[in-house]
Amino acid sequence: MARPQTDLEAGREQLLDIATAMIEERGNGALTMTELAALAGMSPANLYRYFESKEAVIEAIAGRWFAPKVAIMEEVVASDLPPRRKMYEFYARRFALIRGMWERDPVVFQTYCDVGEEHFEVVRSYVDLGDHYLGEIVAEAMADGHFAGLEIDEAISLINQMVAPYVNIGLMGLIMPKLSEEKLARIVDAVFDGLSAVDRGARAVTGLRAA
Amino acid sequence: MARPQTDLEAGREQLLDIATAMIEERGNGALTMTELAALAGMSPANLYRYFESKEAVIEAIAGRWFAPKVAIMEEVVASDLPPRRKMYEFYARRFALIRGMWERDPVVFQTYCDVGEEHFEVVRSYVDLGDHYLGEIVAEAMADGHFAGLEIDEAISLINQMVAPYVNIGLMGLIMPKLSEEKLARIVDAVFDGLSAVDRGARAVTGLRAA
């Protein structure tokens, strides 16, 4: 976490520690501005100097949750790995981080899933950021001849769907024991060697011709 | 739905109609045996002649929900389509059925997701049945040379993960507008042309050799 640089920032960080503990100990819905102020030993009016709304507190908690994931994405995309290795690391490193949290406390993990589901408008900007970085990897892969005939946005959508269990934390929590880095690597290899716009028979649309 | 053959079966079907309406109108958690008996105009003791527990009612409702999906799986697996076409139809027909339900009433759809999540022990037997049928398609595909080096169970697990958004109704409900038969077909083609046990560089494990 970045070192707070002003009293205002230091106060915000302390309040976020308290708010995070409220949610982790008592679940999604436990957070109210009145009780947060009371636990922090300040008046509600004073609390609003730090956060203008409960939504602003949630946004800041989301920022803390996503910061290490964003750092991973930036580091992987900026690396000089080939695109296939980049895509694997792009997912595998975040998956390992999230799995570690699930292993430490599945109940707290589920609470974060619930918070994210209730406040999906906050999560969405991070989803969009992930798509942006994935798009950079896809563009590099396309330059190497992969994903023939697909638009970048089509490829992003298809890849998101094919690796969904390694990204969607709700689904991840349901099937964690079935997920592994080894399986993720096989899926990423299948993405690189199998995904294109060419109909090779699954739907058999192009195969329906008059003899 | 099969025609009821005895008074007992006819009574069970009527009770399931009432129980289904209770859940669809008032959500997961609305179903109690006391109220089900009252709505059916019978004593609780009489209700227990038809269903020995609330869990038995839930199991019967799950049976109704899954019956058309099981019929699709049986029909597709028994068909003489090639394995790649079978796998696409195996998922696409059920996806179209479920999407139709979502389009008719997203709130009722979400209620069934909630019921399934709360009573996952009931859902599990249908998940296992789906894996059984998928395994038959996978075995046919392997006989044609696909999925080289993978065990059947490994292939089943990987394919389940790659098509998760078209099977897991909770995830499906979250991203339905992004799902389509066309994308599913591309994913199934990627499964057939890209999935194997050969490490082709995603994880770069086999690439790490001394020079």
Side-chain angles (χ1 to χ4, degrees):
Chain A
M1 212 164 303
R3 182 184 297 270
Q5 291 174 356
T6 66
D7 286 352
L8 186 67
E9 284 180 35
R12 283 171 58 95
E13 292 300 321
Q14 284 180 343
L15 285 163
L16 288 178
D17 289 342
I18 298 169
T20 300
M22 288 170 74
I23 290 174
E24 290 192 359
E25 285 163 21
R26 288 186 284 147
N28 180 29
L31 182 67
T32 68
M33 293 298 269
T34 309
E35 194 173 348
L36 177 56
L39 285 170
M42 61 172 66
S43 67
N46 200 11
L47 171 58
Y48 282 92
R49 288 179 48 227
Y50 295 94
F51 291 102
E52 66 183 5
S53 63
K54 177 180 157 179
E55 193 65 15
V57 179
I58 298 283
E59 276 177 29
I61 290 174
R64 279 187 170 188
W65 164 277
F66 283 106
K69 285 99 175 168
V70 172
I72 287 170
M73 292 194 287
E74 287 176 348
E75 185 185 340
V76 169
V77 169
S79 75
D80 58 2
L81 291 169
R84 188 190 294 248
R85 289 274 303 117
K86 270 191 190 176
M87 191 179 292
Y88 169 75
E89 297 293 337
F90 184 76
Y91 292 114
R93 293 186 192 184
R94 286 180 292 155
F95 166 63
L97 194 70
I98 298 168
R99 180 182 54 201
M101 184 174 181
W102 177 82
E103 285 170 348
R104 278 192 299 281
D105 195 330
V107 176
V108 166
F109 180 87
Q110 184 56 47
T111 298
Y112 279 101
C113 294
D114 296 342
V115 173
E117 199 167 314
E118 186 178 330
H119 301 276
F120 189 68
E121 74 288 350
V122 177
V123 174
R124 186 181 302 275
S125 63
Y126 295 97
V127 173
D128 291 344
L129 187 61
D131 283 352
H132 166 77
Y133 285 124
L134 177 58
E136 295 199 18
I137 300 174
V138 166
E140 287 178 27
M142 285 179 165
D144 288 352
H146 291 287
F147 315 137
L150 292 175
E151 301 291 328
I152 285 189
D153 284 352
E154 288 179 299
I156 290 171
S157 177
L158 285 161
I159 294 165
N160 277 334
Q161 291 180 15
M162 293 169 77
V163 301
Y166 294 88
V167 180
N168 181 292
I169 65 168
L171 181 55
M172 202 186 291
L174 286 176
I175 62 172
M176 193 68 86
K178 296 186 174 174
L179 302 175
S180 70
E181 279 85 348
E182 188 184 7
K183 287 181 183 174
L184 174 61
R186 284 175 177 166
I187 293 171
V188 170
D189 275 329
V191 163
F192 270 80
D193 294 332
L195 192 60
S196 82
V198 181
D199 182 349
R200 283 149 285 156
R203 215 174 170 196
V205 175
T206 53
L208 293 174
R209 292 184 194 146
Chain B
M1 213 164 302
R3 182 184 297 269
Q5 292 174 356
T6 66
D7 287 352
L8 187 66
E9 283 180 35
R12 284 171 57 94
E13 293 299 322
Q14 286 179 342
L15 285 163
L16 288 179
D17 289 342
I18 298 168
T20 299
M22 289 169 73
I23 289 173
E24 291 193 358
E25 285 162 22
R26 289 186 283 147
N28 180 29
L31 182 67
T32 68
M33 293 297 270
T34 310
E35 194 172 349
L36 176 55
L39 285 169
M42 62 174 65
S43 67
N46 200 11
L47 171 58
Y48 282 91
R49 287 179 49 228
Y50 295 94
F51 291 102
E52 64 183 8
S53 63
K54 177 180 156 181
E55 193 65 14
V57 179
I58 297 284
E59 276 177 28
I61 290 174
R64 280 186 169 189
W65 164 277
F66 283 105
K69 285 99 175 168
V70 172
I72 286 171
M73 292 193 288
E74 287 176 347
E75 186 184 340
V76 169
V77 168
S79 74
D80 58 2
L81 291 170
R84 188 190 294 249
R85 289 273 304 117
K86 271 191 188 176
M87 192 179 292
Y88 169 75
E89 297 293 337
F90 184 76
Y91 292 113
R93 294 187 191 184
R94 286 180 293 155
F95 167 62
L97 194 69
I98 297 168
R99 181 182 53 201
M101 185 174 182
W102 177 83
E103 285 169 348
R104 278 193 299 282
D105 195 329
V107 176
V108 166
F109 181 87
Q110 183 56 48
T111 298
Y112 278 101
C113 294
D114 296 343
V115 173
E117 199 167 315
E118 186 178 330
H119 300 276
F120 190 70
E121 73 290 350
V122 177
V123 174
R124 186 182 303 275
S125 63
Y126 294 98
V127 173
D128 292 344
L129 187 60
D131 283 352
H132 166 77
Y133 285 125
L134 176 58
E136 295 198 17
I137 300 174
V138 166
E140 287 178 26
M142 285 179 165
D144 288 352
H146 291 287
F147 316 138
L150 292 175
E151 300 292 328
I152 285 189
D153 285 352
E154 287 177 301
I156 290 171
S157 176
L158 285 162
I159 294 164
N160 277 333
Q161 291 180 15
M162 293 170 76
V163 301
Y166 294 88
V167 180
N168 181 293
I169 64 169
L171 182 56
M172 202 187 292
L174 287 176
I175 62 171
M176 193 69 85
K178 295 186 175 176
L179 302 175
S180 71
E181 279 84 348
E182 189 184 6
K183 287 180 183 174
L184 174 61
R186 284 174 177 166
I187 293 172
V188 170
D189 275 329
V191 164
F192 270 80
D193 293 334
L195 192 60
S196 82
V198 181
D199 181 349
R200 283 149 286 157
R203 213 175 171 195
V205 175
T206 53
L208 294 173
R209 290 184 196 145

